[in-house]
Amino acid sequence: MEMGVLMKKIFIIQNVPHENLGVLENSFLSQGFTLRYFNPQELIRYNDSAFNYDALIMMGGPMSVYDTTEFPHLIKAAQVIRMAYTAGKPVLGICLGAQMIAKAFEAKVVKNTEKEIGWYPLNLTPAGETDAVFSSFSKTETVFQWHGDTFNLPHGAVLLASSPLCQNQAFRLGKNIYGLQFHVEVSAAMVAEWLDENGNKEELSCLPQIDSKNILSNIPTYIGRLNFLCQALAKSFEKMI
């Protein structure tokens, strides 16, 4: 491992405690990256005039990108995304993070026609099949989802993946900005934790069509493949840093 890699730092926006890097974290740490998590309060206090990290990752969260009165850190999140873009640094957004990338580049974020919570098929587009970050994905995979919003693609973005219930599942903007609506990062323990989180249980109680027991029972079926894809995606993203 080159010494230069050991010095590289990743800026991570963590909107809620239970949504962290998950499986991605071990990959980044094993390659010597320094990880700096910013919770909402820390993000608001971040006032650097330029982006001084080597990459930016924004995680998911239960809020909407437009809930800026209740969650003012989202205003700063959009600013940091644009700062990273201006600095030419790689950016990865997952779920809310992908929606924030879209909003930061003036694309609309709206309610999806149906909530996706659980295991769903993901279909690569022709562009996705040739994209280096998705090189380990088959044309159709089963991934984990937990979202009610969706986004329009930012101007110039390339659609990489879709699902039957949500067209815009992954995109690339420029050469090194990626938005993923689905959760590639979850471990088996994270899925179980999310299903047991109070706010999530309240949400699920209003969605009789979503069977949390079925989600839990399907973890052994799908989690191994998803974790492999996560590690492969991490390695591809690391090459851009």
Side-chain angles (χ1 to χ4, degrees), residues 22-210:
V23 176
L24 288 168
E25 183 166 286
N26 285 338
S27 181
F28 292 133
L29 290 176
S30 69
Q31 294 302 308
F33 291 99
T34 297
L35 307 179
R36 174 65 167 93
Y37 281 93
F38 287 81
N39 64 32
Q41 293 73 32
E42 292 169 324
L43 184 63
I44 288 173
R45 294 194 297 267
Y46 178 75
N47 288 315
D48 287 4
S49 59
F51 188 75
N52 296 316
Y53 286 73
D54 297 289
L56 169 65
I57 301 176
M58 182 168 178
M59 307 309 301
M63 61 285 291
S64 166
V65 301
Y66 296 108
D67 292 339
T68 53
T69 300
E70 185 176 0
F71 303 101
H73 77 282
L74 296 175
I75 297 172
K76 180 60 69 70
Q79 294 171 354
V80 174
I81 288 169
R82 290 191 292 267
M83 287 170 63
Y85 168 77
T86 299
K89 304 300 183 180
V91 178
L92 174 63
I94 295 176
C95 198
L96 175 64
Q99 296 162 11
M100 280 302 308
I101 294 173
K103 184 175 183 292
F105 292 98
E106 301 182 345
K108 287 185 178 180
V109 178
V110 297
K111 294 294 181 185
N112 197 40
T113 55
E114 186 174 337
K115 287 191 174 184
E116 287 185 309
I117 300 177
W119 305 99
Y120 293 84
L122 180 82
N123 304 311
L124 295 188
T125 65
E129 290 183 76
T130 60
D131 188 275
V133 168
F134 287 84
S135 61
S136 294
F137 283 63
S138 296
K139 185 174 178 60
T140 299
E141 298 283 0
T142 299
V143 297
F144 190 74
Q145 305 269 10
W146 199 307
H147 72 102
D149 289 349
T150 185
F151 49 81
N152 292 342
L153 293 180
H155 179 71
V158 177
L159 182 64
L160 302 176
S162 297
S163 74
L165 296 180
C166 181
Q167 179 180 1
N168 295 335
Q169 282 286 347
F171 66 87
R172 183 186 70 247
L173 182 62
K175 294 182 178 180
N176 60 0
I177 298 181
Y178 284 82
L180 311 181
Q181 181 59 74
F182 61 98
H183 288 278
V184 72
E185 81 284 8
V186 292
S187 64
M190 286 175 69
V191 174
E193 179 187 6
W194 290 8
L195 290 169
D196 196 48
E197 198 274 331
N198 287 335
N200 290 342
K201 287 197 291 186
E202 183 177 349
E203 180 181 12
L204 290 170
S205 71
C206 301
L207 299 168
Q209 73 275 23
I210 304 294

Side-chain angles (χ1 to χ4, degrees), residues 230-241:
C230 180
Q231 292 164 354
L233 185 146
K235 289 178 182 177
S236 298
F237 187 73
E238 288 160 5
K239 292 177 181 178
M240 295 185 288
I241 301 175

